[in-house]
Amino acid sequence: QSALTQPASVSGSPGQSITISCTGTSSDVGGYNYVSWYQQYPGRAPKLMIYDVTKRPSGVSNRFSGSKSGNTASLTISGLQAEDEADYYCSSYTSSSTFVFGTGTKVTVL
Amino acid sequence: QVQLVQSGAEVKKPGASVKVSCKASGYTFTTYAMHWVRQAPGQRLEWMGWINTGNGNTKYSQKFQGRVTITRDTSASTAYMELSSLRSEDTAVYYCARIWLRSGYYYMDVWGKGTTVTVSS
């Protein structure tokens, strides 16, 4: 199972919106509405930010939103803040009853 | 509160095996599957496999098939991940994470803090 493809880095100024893409295949991202997104600070465990493509867990800021079109899912962070600077990973359930993560995206707040 | 507490850091020689534990608290252990994810230094998250803590069934990533064994002890609310035939490329932080054992739930909502495994001669 190959990793889902994400841009290596995305940057934006405070207050701006950024979008991170996550491209897979019809056997994972495109085949199921089971894409989740995780935020990870250096040296820390990942934290769930979005699940089932668009849903936010309790306690996660509504500045984070998710969407999907075909084999590509996206995470949008609006009103970018300094605390959003972190690595972000997408993940999807697959047709093999396994999971796959994305290549990861480093978000930089300029 | 819900917690996954992992065992401490390990240093192993190439060819050896390592067994990492993940003790759950704050919820009913057998209602959530336990997944294992690793992250090599500076690299991406990599899914390794999971165990149905209720019936013990397992599923592994093809990449680790034959080298990884995930088990659980329900009396101790603890899951284990054993990786054998270690090589330097297995140097990584190993995380456990839970997913609710109900149809339609496919996201890891609670993670352990990670266990660093270093493979070095």
Side-chain angles (χ1 to χ4, degrees):
Chain A
Q1 180 77 47
S2 298
L4 307 176
T5 301
Q6 300 180 230
S9 62
V10 173
S11 61
S13 299
Q16 285 187 327
S17 292
I18 61 169
T19 296
I20 303 168
S21 62
C22 169
T23 301
T25 69
S26 58
S27 296
D28 38 65
V29 174
Y32 305 91
N33 287 324
Y34 296 139
V35 175
S36 50
W37 289 89
Y38 302 88
Q39 176 191 64
Q40 187 182 36
Y41 293 115
R44 304 289 297 274
K47 174 188 174 184
L48 178 68
M49 303 301 283
I50 294 287
Y51 66 96
D52 294 354
V53 178
T54 62
K55 300 175 183 176
R56 264 181 297 106
S58 172
V60 171
S61 171
N62 59 9
R63 297 185 298 104
F64 292 84
S65 61
S67 62
K68 191 185 86 167
S69 178
N71 295 337
T72 298
S74 298
L75 173 72
T76 298
I77 309 175
S78 57
L80 199 62
Q81 298 180 1
E83 68 202 49
D84 300 330
E85 189 162 292
D87 293 328
Y88 292 82
Y89 292 90
C90 59
S91 175
S92 177
Y93 180 70
T94 82
S95 60
S96 302
S97 302
T98 61
F99 288 79
V100 61
F101 283 94
T103 50
T105 299
K106 181 176 180 58
V107 169
T108 301
V109 181
L110 301 171
Chain B
Q1 73 280 26
V2 175
Q3 281 189 99
L4 299 176
V5 178
Q6 298 187 225
S7 49
E10 303 262 13
V11 179
K12 296 292 183 180
K13 293 195 182 305
S17 297
V18 68
K19 191 170 186 177
V20 179
S21 67
C22 172
K23 182 172 177 58
S25 62
Y27 70 95
T28 301
F29 180 68
T30 51
T31 59
Y32 285 79
M34 199 67 76
H35 292 246
W36 290 87
V37 176
R38 80 173 188 182
Q39 187 172 37
Q43 302 300 309
R44 69 178 186 91
L45 299 172
E46 189 171 29
W47 183 80
M48 299 180 70
W50 71 283
I51 186 166
N52 180 323
T53 53
N55 60 22
N57 288 347
T58 55
K59 178 80 173 181
Y60 303 126
S61 165
Q62 269 195 321
K63 175 174 179 175
F64 301 101
Q65 192 82 37
R67 279 211 304 146
V68 68
T69 304
I70 300 174
T71 57
R72 96 288 192 219
D73 179 348
T74 56
S75 66
S77 297
T78 301
Y80 303 90
M81 185 285 299
E82 183 170 21
L83 188 63
S84 62
S85 302
L86 290 171
R87 35 210 189 228
S88 58
E89 309 90 88
D90 294 318
T91 293
V93 176
Y94 290 77
Y95 295 100
C96 58
R98 71 172 197 174
I99 292 183
W100 200 8
L101 267 171
R102 290 188 67 172
S103 179
Y105 288 81
Y106 298 97
Y107 54 90
M108 299 166 200
D109 67 340
V110 177
W111 293 65
K113 291 187 185 304
T115 296
T116 299
V117 175
T118 303
V119 183
S120 174
S121 55

